[in-house]
Amino acid sequence: MRRLGLVAALVFLIDQVSKVYVVFHMGLALDQRIDVWPPYLTFRMAWNRGVNFGLLAHDADLARWLLIAVSLAISGGVAIWMARGRHRPAARVSAGLLIGGALGNALDRVLYGAVADFLNMSCCGIDNPYAFNIADVAIFAGALGLVLYTGKDKTP
């Protein structure tokens, strides 16, 4: 469980520091766009009040607290699941990624009422209009890792 906790804490810290640095220190909240390596990497400010791609954003206050509760419940459930079973180190790292990312986005919702998304990547003539953050990447990677590294035939 120590590995899970360390990974979760590291992801949470990197996510929060990156958001504060880019959004507030670099001034993305005011500028709305900073070209880093166009068109491949651009910082585009997006306050996501809903879930992915702004789903559930129409009732922002209800969605905000519901999504905070869901993030905490999933994080707690995954932590309990990992604590009660025998899992590979890769599964524990995956759980840490998912939990750290979920808690990072939950804290954004508590502090700002929305998740600070700022990473935007486009390539090859395709203009991606959506932004994401480090927590989103960690949640995706953690969920994928849990699918790949858990199950009856995947315990030590």
Side-chain angles (χ1 to χ4, degrees):
M1 285 299 289
R2 193 168 97 183
R3 182 175 311 201
L4 183 154
L6 288 173
V7 170
L10 186 62
V11 167
F12 179 84
L13 183 66
I14 291 169
D15 174 64
Q16 289 299 304
V17 168
S18 71
K19 288 172 182 171
V20 168
Y21 185 77
V22 172
V23 175
F24 300 109
H25 180 72
M26 290 180 67
L28 186 63
L30 297 174
D31 296 339
Q32 296 294 300
R33 180 184 173 116
I34 299 172
D35 289 332
V36 178
W37 185 29
Y40 306 108
L41 178 61
T42 303
F43 293 159
R44 287 187 188 172
M45 190 66 238
W47 291 104
N48 187 351
R49 299 191 186 292
V51 244
N52 290 354
F53 310 115
L55 296 173
L56 295 180
H58 62 281
D59 192 356
D61 202 44
L62 174 64
R64 171 188 184 190
W65 295 108
L66 179 64
L67 291 170
I68 291 168
V70 168
S71 294
L72 295 175
I74 290 172
S75 296
V78 170
I80 292 168
W81 174 38
M82 290 289 119
R84 288 188 177 169
R86 291 181 56 214
H87 299 282
R88 296 173 159 191
R92 294 188 186 281
V93 168
S94 298
L97 289 169
L98 188 144
I99 291 169
L103 294 178
N105 280 347
L107 182 61
D108 280 11
R109 290 184 195 287
V110 169
L111 295 177
Y112 314 119
V115 174
D117 289 336
F118 63 90
L119 295 169
N120 175 266
M121 301 180 87
S122 297
C123 178
C124 314
I126 299 170
D127 183 30
N128 175 18
Y130 299 105
F132 57 97
N133 60 44
I134 291 171
D136 296 337
V137 174
I139 292 167
F140 179 81
L144 181 62
L146 288 174
V147 168
L148 295 174
Y149 301 120
T150 61
K152 287 185 180 184
D153 60 330
K154 296 176 184 155
T155 55

